[in-house]
Amino acid sequence: MQSRKKLYKISILFLSFFITLSFNTFNLVEANAQAKLTSLTFYQNGDSIHEGQAPTVAITESNQVIVLSQENNQIYYAFGVIDESRNSISWKSKHARLGEGENPSITLTNDGYVVATYSKSGELYARTASIHATYLNWSRSERNYGSGENPSVAFTGANNYELMFLYEKDNGYLGQAFAQYRGNGSIYYVSNPIWPQLKGSSPDLTMTSDGLVLFSGSRNFRGPTRQYAFGQVDGDSISVTQISDEDSHFFKPQSSIVIKDNGLFIEFFQNRNNMDYLEYKIGQLSGSSIQWLNTGGNNLMKKGVQPDVAINNQYVIQVHKYFSSDNIRYNLYQLNQ
């Protein structure tokens, strides 16, 4: 009888151990799945493009990559295509001059239309291009759309040639504008969108194909921090879902953010403890809030400043200026999800 009781206790202990082990294994698998969901795989890390500052990048679903930057008050561009067999970029041009300007921003459509915006002498300009197999065909003229500095631009949808601009005004607020890209190289100004008055600087604008807009910008709010706002484009206006200040992002004057259609987004920024290094965070727009999915210290990367990021369904590309020189470099990744 005693032996049966002993055997019964051993069986219960073994069963409990098995259940505990299975449960912990399940949690570990779930944790690993979450870690995989919110991580990047490096392909090329810190490769050089050309000399310059203030880089910006865009990528099509066909893996065509465009990088703009400034050097001595001139805008330069690089154009390349990702070789999927090698997970590397084959550059067709690396240091082609576009014209006079500073602080460029770029957006494009998957059918090969490009809009670049920049400032010069306190005025804002936009210029268009079409993508060909080995080169970019830029329009001869540029369009002035007002006074301001440091613009950011995005198409409002995959099948919509409407554009939104954000830029710095001289009163501490961010200016906004809608415009239409006409497909023949021209841009037609439409209106100012209905958006709450946002204070700040260094705006970064990104949108999904169905017009979900996410904005990030610097603001002195209990110290240097980042401000986030997101909403939905509705005609020539925007219905805002949330505006928030991210207090944990102190000392992030330079940041870039990009969003996917499922609400997953990636932000690259200067590390707050060592401003010469870049770091990334991955988040998810969930209802009316931002859920940060990947915030660990393993996201610290090589030295760099002035980051900008672009994404398609296969790759993430991030460009930056090397911290101690005017050298534009890029990192190529795959988003694990």
Side-chain angles (χ1 to χ4, degrees):
M1 186 68 180
Q2 291 293 329
S3 60
R4 287 185 178 180
K5 288 183 177 180
K6 186 175 181 180
L7 180 61
Y8 176 76
K9 290 181 179 179
I10 293 174
S11 299
I12 292 297
L13 288 173
F14 178 80
L15 182 60
S16 299
F17 173 78
F18 178 79
I19 292 174
T20 302
L21 178 62
S22 300
F23 182 77
N24 289 337
T25 302
F26 175 78
N27 285 341
L28 181 61
V29 170
E30 285 296 293
N32 287 337
Q34 285 295 319
K36 184 178 181 181
L37 173 67
T38 59
S39 63
L40 298 176
T41 296
F42 286 74
Y43 288 134
Q44 286 184 281
N45 192 358
D47 288 3
S48 177
I49 304 175
H50 58 229
E51 295 298 304
Q53 298 180 353
T56 181
V57 63
I59 182 173
T60 68
E61 293 299 339
S62 301
N63 294 328
Q64 298 159 311
V65 177
I66 303 173
V67 178
L68 299 183
S69 60
Q70 72 175 64
E71 184 183 9
N72 298 324
N73 298 319
Q74 297 287 323
I75 303 294
Y76 289 84
Y77 68 91
F79 174 64
V81 179
I82 297 176
D83 182 347
E84 295 183 41
S85 64
R86 299 181 178 181
N87 292 316
S88 63
I89 298 178
S90 173
W91 295 102
K92 310 303 179 184
S93 60
K94 269 194 169 185
H95 198 241
R97 191 173 73 88
L98 181 58
E100 185 181 355
E102 296 178 321
N103 298 315
S105 177
I106 190 171
T107 185
L108 49 75
T109 65
N110 287 322
D111 49 358
Y113 296 123
V114 180
V115 173
T117 182
Y118 45 89
S119 60
K120 56 181 177 179
S121 302
E123 294 292 312
L124 299 166
Y125 293 87
R127 195 168 175 183
T128 66
S130 56
I131 301 176
H132 296 264
T134 58
Y135 68 96
L136 301 177
N137 185 20
W138 289 96
S139 62
R140 294 183 179 180
S141 61
E142 57 189 6
R143 173 68 190 270
N144 177 274
Y145 62 95
S147 300
E149 299 281 354
N150 202 13
S152 183
V153 62
F155 278 103
T156 63
N159 300 312
N160 185 353
Y161 295 138
E162 192 168 63
L163 297 155
M164 181 180 174
F165 297 89
L166 280 180
Y167 52 91
E168 295 177 11
K169 298 168 64 174
D170 58 8
N171 60 358
Y173 285 88
L174 295 177
Q176 311 133 41
F178 271 135
Q180 288 280 352
Y181 175 70
R182 293 296 178 86
N184 59 358
S186 64
I187 296 176
Y188 176 72
Y189 174 79
V190 178
S191 67
N192 290 320
I194 302 172
W195 183 292
Q197 290 292 305
L198 296 174
K199 288 186 176 181
S201 61
S202 303
D204 197 39
L205 181 66
T206 179
M207 291 193 186
T208 64
S209 62
D210 59 355
L212 176 65
V213 54
L214 176 62
F215 151 81
S216 174
S218 295
R219 183 181 178 189
N220 285 326
F221 180 75
R222 296 194 295 274
T225 185
R226 299 297 292 179
Q227 181 187 45
Y228 301 90
F230 59 91
Q232 185 70 42
V233 174
D234 182 14
D236 294 338
S237 65
I238 297 175
S239 58
V240 175
T241 305
Q242 184 190 30
I243 300 174
S244 65
D245 290 285
E246 185 71 15
D247 291 343
S248 63
H249 287 194
F250 276 44
F251 312 114
K252 281 173 50 180
Q254 297 174 350
S255 169
S256 178
I257 198 164
V258 66
I259 190 171
K260 290 175 65 69
D261 282 351
N262 61 2
L264 193 73
F265 64 90
I266 304 174
E267 183 182 23
F268 284 82
F269 55 93
Q270 290 176 271
N271 179 264
R272 63 180 180 179
N273 296 318
N274 190 333
M275 296 290 286
D276 290 337
Y277 282 83
L278 294 174
E279 189 175 350
Y280 74 87
K281 292 177 72 173
I282 300 176
Q284 178 78 48
L285 293 186
S286 178
S288 60
S289 63
I290 296 175
Q291 178 186 4
W292 294 105
L293 304 177
N294 189 320
T295 60
N298 60 335
N299 299 337
L300 191 65
M301 301 183 302
K302 288 189 175 181
K303 290 186 176 183
V305 295
Q306 302 176 357
D308 195 65
V309 59
I311 192 170
N312 66 7
N313 286 328
Q314 188 173 358
Y315 293 100
V316 176
I317 182 168
Q318 179 263 333
V319 294
H320 60 273
K321 186 182 84 73
Y322 192 57
F323 80 112
S324 62
S325 68
D326 287 347
N327 184 259
I328 303 300
R329 302 187 179 188
Y330 71 95
N331 299 329
L332 185 65
Y333 324 91
Q334 182 181 38
L335 176 63
N336 298 315
Q337 55 177 341

